[in-house]
Amino acid sequence: STVNGTPGSATLAVDGIDPFDVVAFIAPLIGDPSVPNRLYAVTSRVYQTNDGAQNWVVISPDLTASLASLRAIAVAPSDSNVVYTGSRDSRIFRTSTANLGANATWAEISSGTDLPGRVITAMAVSPANPNTAFVTFSGFTFGSDMKGHVFKTTDSGATWTDISGTGPGGG
C-alpha cells in the first residue's frame, strides 16, 4: 500500500488527540461526505480534522460517564454542521455547529427518552434531512428490557421511535 507517497509506509496521524482519553477498543473514525479532508474521531470526546488527519482539534467536552467511550458517530450528508454521536452508556448527543470546531456546542438528545440502556453500536443520518437519524443498540431483549434494537428520530432527537420490527430479537 502507499501512504504519503511512500510504498509500504504509514505515518501516525494523531497530533492533537489526547492519549489519555478513554477510547473504545476500535474507535470510530469517519469522513464528512460533503467536506473534503474533514474527518471525525471519537474517544470520550469528539475530535475533528480539516486537513486530512494532520492536525486534530477537540470539538466537544467529555460526553461520557466514567470509563465509558463514544462508540458511534454520524455526519448529516445534507448539512455538515450536524453531527450525532453515541456512547457505551447509551447516551446520544447532537451538534448543529460542527463548523465552529472547538466552539461547537453539544446537547444530549437521549435524556428523558425511552431508549434502551444498552451500548450504542451504530448511527446514521438521513441523506436528505439532518433532523432524521437512526441509532442501533446491542444486547438482547431480556427480562424487563423488551425494547428493540433500531430507533429513529425525525425531530433532531426530541423523540425516538422503535423501528426494529418483529424479527428475531425485535421489540
Side-chain angles (χ1 to χ4, degrees), residues 35-159:
V35 180
N37 293 316
R38 180 178 290 169
L39 303 166
Y40 292 92
V42 295
T43 60
S44 55
R45 302 182 288 172
V46 178
Y47 288 86
Q48 179 189 69
T49 179
N50 288 294
D51 59 12
Q54 298 303 308
N55 299 286
W56 293 91
V57 174
V58 65
I59 67 164
S60 78
D62 185 336
L63 297 174
T64 65
S66 166
L67 299 178
S69 59
L70 296 171
R71 302 301 286 267
I73 187 166
V75 179
S78 63
D79 185 347
S80 290
N81 296 317
V82 177
V83 178
Y84 293 79
T85 189
S87 69
R88 184 181 190 287
D89 58 352
S90 69
R91 296 168 67 204
I92 302 170
F93 300 87
R94 181 183 188 272
T95 184
S96 59
T97 58
N99 61 312
L100 298 179
N103 294 317
T105 56
W106 294 81
E108 182 174 357
I109 57 172
S110 52
S111 181
T113 63
D114 195 29
L115 292 168
R118 295 185 242 122
V119 176
I120 292 171
T121 56
M123 304 182 97
V125 183
S126 165
N129 185 345
N131 299 319
T132 299
F134 304 85
V135 62
T136 61
F137 291 85
S138 67
F140 298 96
T141 52
F142 179 77
S144 63
D145 182 356
M146 297 305 292
K147 297 173 184 164
H149 295 89
V150 183
F151 289 78
K152 175 183 179 180
T153 183
T154 57
D155 55 13
S156 302
T159 59

